[in-house]
Amino acid sequence: MEKIYFDYAATTPTDPQVLEAMKPFFGKAFGNPSSIHSFGREARGAMEDARQKVASFLGAKLEEIIFTSSGTEADNFALFGVLWANAAKGNHVVTTAIEHHAILEPARFLEKLGYKVTSVRPDREGLVHPEDIAAAMTDQTVLVSVMHANNEIGTIQPIKEIASLVKEKGAYMHTDAVQTVGHIPVNVAEMGVDLLSLSAHKFYGPKGVGCLYVRKGTRIAPFLRGGGQERHRRASTENIPGIAGLGKALELCGERMAEEIVVQTRLRDKLIAGIQKRIDRVYLNGHASRRLPNNVNFSIEYIEGESMLLNLDMLGIAASTGSACTSGDLEPSHVLLSIGRPHELCHGSIRLTLGRYTREEEVDRFLDVFPKVVAKLRAMSPLYPVRENRLP
Ligand SMILES: *Cc1c(COP(=O)(O)O)cnc(C)c1O
């Protein structure tokens, strides 16, 4: 039987058209965009073409787009670059408890270096309240970083409202939009953000390439230092095949997004309703409506996320969980803990994320087999209450 991929939030397959757009730059068009000969000019042309696509997709100017090696680098660049360049103003950054590790870890490191970091908690549905962000700010606050949508539970944050409060108080606003770019509308002018991170492999582009949008006039120091690439803001020879792929992937998303939102939202809701109907003691994680069109996340009482995953994998279904024991990380998800889920429920979480190639038959097959997997695991669980008629 064909395998089923329900892990689009972890990474997406590269669209065949994207791969085609990248191929020339592994071949004859191999030039270094800094070279002034024809090889270099051809590479530079492709890069500027991609930059144009990104800028128009985001509603940004060409010079506001800086290509990076990943979403992680864009996030690190935003935090370190803005704090380093604005030391005269202050040393405080405000972020949230549910950020991706690409923000959490650099923020933790900044704290070690002597910076002040305030982490704001979301409500039980994963929503960050703008007034909580405003309350956390001081006259030392240089930067506020709040993700656009959460990668685990899919909650979409009110970035526009948060940004407007942040700007009023005179700080810079960054958003990690790695889960939203290419999936729901993202426009930097409408959102009012100064910095925004994105990553190609989350929207059917290649791995290892991303970008940071930096609003004109934002004071930011380079994170990678070396050559003068990207107008002296990001050193290193540009990843031309990757950048061409990123541009093509975003162009395709622009053409297909409206339809994909409709299709995925319907399949998402079918999964949510189907799971709630077929299995007892399940709890939806994340917001019911302010939610990514492709995200389903449940806590299933009395079982381990890990066992669900392994059992589904044996049936050819790829999903994800908030507790990744095999990756050496026994701690339950910081996101589920932050929204107030007790430890047991954090360990019993499962995330299904849909995408461009998800078909309705796959959703139906999942709804058919998943209740059986849960029943089997619960039958083995010492915690699952034994029914009266089974007592001796
Ligand atoms: C995947 C992801 C990242 C990291 O992006 P990479 O390109 O894999 O480094 C950062 N933030 C969020 C929200 C993500 O989902």
Side-chain angles (χ1 to χ4, degrees), residues 9 98 124-128 147-158 176 178-180 183-184 265 268 272 284-298 333 335-336 339 350-354:
I98 56 168
R124 301 185 78 83
E125 292 177 301
L127 263 191
V128 174
M147 71 198 319
H148 191 194
N150 185 267
N151 47 300
E152 290 186 36
I153 58 176
T155 302
I156 302 170
Q157 304 299 345
D176 173 340
V178 173
Q179 285 293 331
T180 53
H183 298 276
I184 60 173
T265 302
R268 174 197 75 186
I272 292 177
L284 182 68
N285 294 313
H287 201 279
S289 56
R290 290 190 60 100
R291 182 177 201 99
L292 285 173
N294 73 335
N295 176 289
V296 176
N297 189 317
F298 275 103
S333 147
V335 175
L336 297 178
I339 61 169
I350 179 163
R351 179 187 74 180
L352 308 166
T353 44
L354 318 180

Side-chain angles (χ1 to χ4, degrees), residues 40-343:
R41 290 200 306 275
E42 184 177 23
R44 174 159 293 270
M47 180 166 78
E48 294 315 317
D49 183 48
R51 200 186 308 279
Q52 179 62 61
K53 285 175 178 153
V54 179
S56 70
F57 191 94
L58 298 177
K61 299 185 183 73
L62 281 178
E63 65 270 27
E64 295 176 324
I65 304 302
I66 307 177
F67 291 114
T68 64
S69 68
S70 62
T72 299
E73 186 196 322
D75 283 347
N76 275 260
F77 185 6
L79 287 187
F80 285 102
V82 170
L83 284 166
W84 285 334
N86 296 277
K89 175 171 191 287
N91 66 347
H92 183 224
V93 44
V94 175
T95 184
T96 81
I98 56 168
E99 298 298 310
H100 189 272
H101 286 114
I103 290 287
L104 287 184
E105 291 303 323
R108 199 171 297 173
F109 185 52
L110 280 166
E111 242 177 340
K112 275 196 187 152
L113 295 175
Y115 292 88
K116 299 266 175 294
V117 178
T118 304
S119 180
V120 171
R121 276 189 63 165
D123 67 17
R124 301 185 78 83
E125 292 177 301
L127 263 191
V128 174
H129 292 251
E131 59 274 19
D132 293 343
I133 296 288
M137 293 177 71
T138 71
D139 57 0
Q140 291 289 300
T141 308
V142 171
L143 178 70
V144 173
S145 179
V146 179
M147 71 198 319
H148 191 194
N150 185 267
N151 47 300
E152 290 186 36
I153 58 176
T155 302
I156 302 170
Q157 304 299 345
I159 296 299
K160 185 179 174 176
E161 289 72 18
I162 294 172
S164 120
L165 291 177
V166 168
K167 299 311 293 172
E168 226 170 79
K169 289 181 175 264
Y172 289 119
M173 176 74 200
H174 168 254
T175 190
D176 173 340
V178 173
Q179 285 293 331
T180 53
V181 170
H183 298 276
I184 60 173
V186 172
N187 182 291
V188 291
E190 266 169 37
M191 291 164 87
V193 296
D194 300 302
L195 304 110
L196 178 145
S197 306
L198 60 86
S199 174
H201 78 96
K202 301 286 175 76
F203 54 83
Y204 312 100
K207 292 164 185 63
V209 62
C211 106
L212 182 66
Y213 156 80
V214 181
R215 182 183 298 280
K216 212 173 163 183
T218 302
R219 291 172 58 87
I220 185 163
F223 181 64
L224 277 191
R225 287 158 193 270
Q229 291 91 351
E230 295 295 83
R231 309 163 109 244
H232 294 277
R233 290 176 303 181
R234 199 264 184 185
S236 162
T237 302
E238 300 88 341
N239 172 5
I240 299 300
I243 289 169
L246 187 157
K248 183 66 187 179
L250 215 43
E251 182 181 66
L252 293 176
C253 287
E255 294 164 7
R256 299 179 185 179
M257 195 165 67
E259 197 201 326
E260 289 184 346
I261 290 174
V262 175
V263 173
Q264 288 171 24
T265 302
R266 196 179 68 77
L267 294 178
R268 174 197 75 186
D269 292 345
K270 185 173 188 181
L271 271 172
I272 292 177
I275 291 170
Q276 283 169 334
K277 182 166 155 243
R278 289 171 174 80
I279 307 171
D280 64 340
R281 292 178 177 266
V282 296
Y283 307 89
L284 182 68
N285 294 313
H287 201 279
S289 56
R290 290 190 60 100
R291 182 177 201 99
L292 285 173
N294 73 335
N295 176 289
V296 176
N297 189 317
F298 275 103
S299 283
I300 317 269
E301 216 169 359
Y302 308 120
I303 42 182
E304 294 275 330
E306 187 99 323
S307 347
M308 282 189 273
L309 240 61
L310 293 174
N311 277 270
L312 286 171
D313 190 45
M314 285 192 280
L315 297 165
I317 300 172
S320 169
T321 174
S323 61
C325 310
T326 43
S327 66
D329 195 2
L330 278 167
E331 278 299 297
S333 147
H334 65 283
V335 175
L336 297 178
L337 287 173
S338 297
I339 61 169
R341 288 292 189 219
H343 266 257

